[in-house]
């Protein structure tokens, strides 16, 4: 047993299907450029390159909204970024374009990064400057959001709030210091694009990695419907909205198909059209773990690293190896219950932050949550199963030792561990190195989660999203945010630009950026207002957020 060096980590087998290997740290390559930039202290704007649109260096983007708030590229934002330091620059280029994807025996048309599912692995070391150009070759505007990363506001990728959406044919250069180690997720933040293949794993290695392990396996979970029998996520969203398919759909307040925030329901509807695919509305689902309805969309497929259960990815190692699994739920509307047959797991991190090591048989992973676990591998062939919690179906990958004999498990295998001990996030205890102190909150904020399936009118405090909303905080405050779920469904709530501690009777809990709020329950979160700007708070059920369940936390001057 040994503690891997950075070189060992970079050479380890990393299962990011469609990428498989570490993406090379090469320059942006040919194509439109976003301009020269002047490092992580500069603001975004248009550069001189042909077809360019934004990036590091240039004029600042200022969103619509009230005055008196810190805007995405204001001096306070730049000062916070300078305080993070600037190490070696790691350069990546991703191209978002239409693609035909092989799911393992089934090909589908979709939109993807570099024609891969998931997109190529992006990997840096904490303290590095990530310099990443997104080339938009889609027929629609797009952006890129680094989910869970505490970064500068103008690099957060929210269209209409932190940047203008990237037009078709244009490039945008994201450049920021990645200060905090952890397992993160890149994805589009425009409309329903994240329910296609516009996502990729992001790993920020710890230069002082305290864990010892032999191999690493990046495991990306997804629910899939795009291109299956003509379905698209936008059409399925229309199916969920009463009368939407007859009235043009997309009458919510979230970022629309074109990438800019859409207007209220009083806006002129688009021409009537009929969805091309079958109905994907799920009328019956139930989960004891989620205290009720599990979801509203019947995704026909569930994937691990872009593969169907009948043709799973196989991860190989030796008996006795200690393997680190980085589990990422990139799904749009499905929680996954995850277990490795024949093994217990030791949870070491959630959402990138370390916790006191805790043994469990299974994990319940909501959309956009991440968990790191360690397993000591037995000899044989073992199924890694991600059960679509409260729905039909599951995803499968396989762990096989070099000496392990036997056939691959059946696609519908269900190991006993799925019904064993499952540790919820609220029971995890933060490592002392990342635990918040017991400081009393300076500000208390209460937000009701509202809406329902009948009208599909999801929102906060009975209001749908508007880019002009601001829920005020001040720099330096300890904020206590109480989320009160007044709906019949569960919601994975995500706060951009910050991590929070889940509070409870036992005091301050694990540090996270995405947490599940059960129906008719409340969740109390503490966070420090230490990253100035305008930041999204939203449900990471993609169909809920696109229907209005988003709001903005803004730093007052």
């Amino acid at each position: 047993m040994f503690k891997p060096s950075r070189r060992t980590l970079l050479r380890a087998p990393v299962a990011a299907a469609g990428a498989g290997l570490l993406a090379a740290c090469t320059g942006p390559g040919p194509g439109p450029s976003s301009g020269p930039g002047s490092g992580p202290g500069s603001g975004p704007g248009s550069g001189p390159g042909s077809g360019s649109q934004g990036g590091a260096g240039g004029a600042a983007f200022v969103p619509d909204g009230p005055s008196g708030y810190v805007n995405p590229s204001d001096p306070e934002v730049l000062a916070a970024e300078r305080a993070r330091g600037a190490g070696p620059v790691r350069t990546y280029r991703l191209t978002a374009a239409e693609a035909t994807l092989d799911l393992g025996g089934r090909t589908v048309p979709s939109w993807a990064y570099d024609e891969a599912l998931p997109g190529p692995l992006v990997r840096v070391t904490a303290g590095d400057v990530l310099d990443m150009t997104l080339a938009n070759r889609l027929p629609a505007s797009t952006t890129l959001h680094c989910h869970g990363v505490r970064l500068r506001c103008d690099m957060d990728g929210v269209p209409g709030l932190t940047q203008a959406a990237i037009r078709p044919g244009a490039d945008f250069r994201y450049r920021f210091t990645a200060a905090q180690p952890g397992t993160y997720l890149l994805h589009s933040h425009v409309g329903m694009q994240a329910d296609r293949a516009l996502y990729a794993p992001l790993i920020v290695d710890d230069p002082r990695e305290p864990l010892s392990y032999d191999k690493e396996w990046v495991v990306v979970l997804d629910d899939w419907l795009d291109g299956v029998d003509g379905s698209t996520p936008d059409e399925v969203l229309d199916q969920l909205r009463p009368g939407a398919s007859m009235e043009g759909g997309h009458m919510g307040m979230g970022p629309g198909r074109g990438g800019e925030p859409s207007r209220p329901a009083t806006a002129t509807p688009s021409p009537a059209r009929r969805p091309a695919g079958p109905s994907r509305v799920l009328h019956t689902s139930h989960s004891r773990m989620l205290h009720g309805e599990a979801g509203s969309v019947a995704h026909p497929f569930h994937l691990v690293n872009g593969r169907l259960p009948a043709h799973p990815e196989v991860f190989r190692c030796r008996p006795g190896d200690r393997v680190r699994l980085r589990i990422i739920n990139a799904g749009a509307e499905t929680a996954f219950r995850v277990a490795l047959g024949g093994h217990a797991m030791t949870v070491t991190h959630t959402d990138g932050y370390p916790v006191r090591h805790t043994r469990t048989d299974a994990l319940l992973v909501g959309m956009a949550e991440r968990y790191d676990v360690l397993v000591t591998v037995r000899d044989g062939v073992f199924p890694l199963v991600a059960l679509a919690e409260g729905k039909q179906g599951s995803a499968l990958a396989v762990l096989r030792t070099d000496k392990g004999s036997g056939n691959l498990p059946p696609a519908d295998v269900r190991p006993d561990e799925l019904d064993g001990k499952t540790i919820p996030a609220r029971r995890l205890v933060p490592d002392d190195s990342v635990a918040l102190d017991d400081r009393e909150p300076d500000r208390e904020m209460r937000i009701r989660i509202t809406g329902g399936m009948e009208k599909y009118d999801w929102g906060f405090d009975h209001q749908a999203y508007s880019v002009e909303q601001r829920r005020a905080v001040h720099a330096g405050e300890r904020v206590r945010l109480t989320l009160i779920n007044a709906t019949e469904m569960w919601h994975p709530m995500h706060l951009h630009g910050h991590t929070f501690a889940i509070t409870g009777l036992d005091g301050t809990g694990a540090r996270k950026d995405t947490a599940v709020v059960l129906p008719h329950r409340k969740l109390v979160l503490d966070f420090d207002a230490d990253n100035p700007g305008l930041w999204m708070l939203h449900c990471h059920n993609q169909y809920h957020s696109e229907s209005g369940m988003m709001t903005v936390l803004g730093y007052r001057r």
Side-chain angles (χ1 to χ4, degrees), residues 365-420:
V365 189
M367 291 82 80
E369 286 190 296
R370 293 91 62 210
Y371 286 89
D372 291 21
V373 302
L374 291 174
V375 295
T376 301
V377 178
R378 299 169 53 195
D379 190 18
V381 180
F382 305 99
L384 177 70
V385 177
L387 184 71
E389 179 63 28
K391 300 182 177 183
Q392 295 294 318
S394 60
L396 174 68
V398 174
L399 186 152
R400 181 194 287 272
T401 59
D402 295 336
K403 298 179 181 179
S405 61
N407 298 323
L408 294 179
D412 60 352
V413 62
R414 184 178 174 124
D416 292 341
E417 286 78 7
L418 284 171
D419 298 312

Side-chain angles (χ1 to χ4, degrees), residues 496-527:
H496 286 214
H498 302 74
T499 60
F500 48 72
I502 301 174
T503 66
L505 296 177
D506 298 330
T508 301
R511 296 286 296 278
K512 289 179 64 65
D513 56 71
T514 308
V516 169
V517 191
L518 296 172
H520 301 291
R521 299 291 182 91
K522 70 178 182 181
L523 194 67
V524 182
L525 312 172
D526 284 356
F527 68 92

Side-chain angles (χ1 to χ4, degrees), residues 191-192 195 223 225-226 232-238 240-241 280 296-297 299 332-333 367 456 458 539-549:
M192 296 304 302
D195 200 21
D223 45 16
L225 57 80
D226 194 37
T232 68
D234 300 283
E235 290 162 353
V236 173
L237 178 61
D238 285 347
L240 290 165
R241 292 173 168 172
R280 301 291 184 189
S296 307
V297 179
H299 285 80
E333 218 254 356
M367 291 82 80
Y456 218 75
W458 305 106
C539 178
H540 226 284
N541 182 317
Q542 204 70 30
Y543 293 83
H544 293 179
S545 62
E546 176 64 358
S547 297
M549 194 174 281

Side-chain angles (χ1 to χ4, degrees), residues 1-359:
M1 202 70 61
F2 67 95
K3 182 180 296 185
S5 66
R6 174 167 170 77
R7 177 174 295 179
T8 302
L9 283 169
L10 295 181
R11 291 179 176 174
V14 177
L21 299 175
L22 172 67
C25 290
T26 59
S33 168
S34 61
S38 57
S42 60
S46 297
S50 173
S52 65
Q53 186 188 357
F61 174 80
V62 178
D64 295 335
S67 61
Y69 286 86
V70 177
N71 286 314
S73 298
D74 278 354
E76 297 92 330
V77 173
L78 307 186
E81 178 69 357
R82 285 192 295 271
R84 294 185 183 101
V89 178
R90 308 297 179 187
T91 305
Y92 286 83
R93 181 180 176 88
L94 298 177
T95 299
E98 296 175 297
T100 299
L101 303 173
D102 183 0
L103 307 182
R106 178 75 180 255
T107 59
V108 293
S110 189
W111 297 357
Y113 296 132
D114 293 3
E115 301 183 330
L117 176 63
L121 171 67
V122 174
R123 190 161 206 156
V124 299
T125 297
D128 289 351
V129 174
L130 176 55
D131 190 334
M132 182 167 50
T133 297
L134 177 63
N136 182 12
R137 304 299 177 257
L138 297 168
S141 296
T142 193
T143 65
L144 184 68
H145 171 58
C146 298
H147 180 102
V149 180
R150 298 178 67 252
L151 42 57
R152 52 185 285 174
C153 186
D154 51 12
M155 297 289 108
D156 196 41
V158 180
L161 183 68
T162 68
Q163 70 171 95
I166 310 165
R167 297 185 300 270
D171 295 358
F172 191 95
R173 185 178 174 193
Y174 295 91
R175 184 180 172 104
F176 57 88
T177 299
Q180 175 63 38
T183 302
Y184 302 105
L185 174 66
L186 306 173
H187 64 80
S188 168
H189 216 287
V190 171
M192 296 304 302
Q193 292 181 7
D195 200 21
R196 298 179 187 260
L198 292 177
Y199 62 83
L202 168 62
I203 306 300
V204 181
D205 286 314
D206 190 338
R208 296 176 295 276
E209 177 60 66
L211 297 180
S212 296
Y213 50 95
D214 304 290
K215 300 258 188 185
E216 180 187 83
W217 191 7
V218 178
V219 176
V220 185
L221 315 175
D222 193 16
D223 45 16
W224 188 269
L225 57 80
D226 194 37
V228 180
D229 300 325
S231 291
T232 68
D234 300 283
E235 290 162 353
V236 173
L237 178 61
D238 285 347
Q239 294 170 4
L240 290 165
R241 292 173 168 172
S245 62
M246 297 300 295
E247 298 175 5
H250 274 278
M251 302 309 295
M253 297 286 290
R257 286 187 183 87
E260 301 295 346
S262 54
R263 296 301 176 188
T266 54
T268 302
S270 57
R273 59 183 177 79
R274 195 176 295 273
S279 174
R280 301 291 184 189
V281 177
L282 181 60
H283 296 286
T284 56
S285 68
H286 181 80
S287 165
R288 175 184 56 82
M289 288 186 175
L290 297 172
H291 290 216
E293 190 173 351
S296 307
V297 179
H299 285 80
F301 299 146
H302 301 93
L303 312 175
V304 175
N305 291 340
R307 306 289 294 181
L308 292 165
H311 296 85
E313 177 182 82
V314 178
F315 178 80
R316 297 182 179 274
C317 58
R318 298 171 301 178
D321 274 352
R322 202 177 195 203
V323 178
R324 181 180 192 167
L325 281 72
R326 296 181 184 262
I327 301 169
I328 304 168
N329 184 353
E333 218 254 356
T334 303
F336 288 101
R337 197 187 324 174
V338 182
L340 178 63
H343 294 78
M345 301 183 290
T346 298
V347 182
T348 64
H349 296 73
T350 180
D351 291 358
Y353 279 72
V355 297
R356 292 184 191 171
H357 291 192
T358 306
R359 284 176 63 86

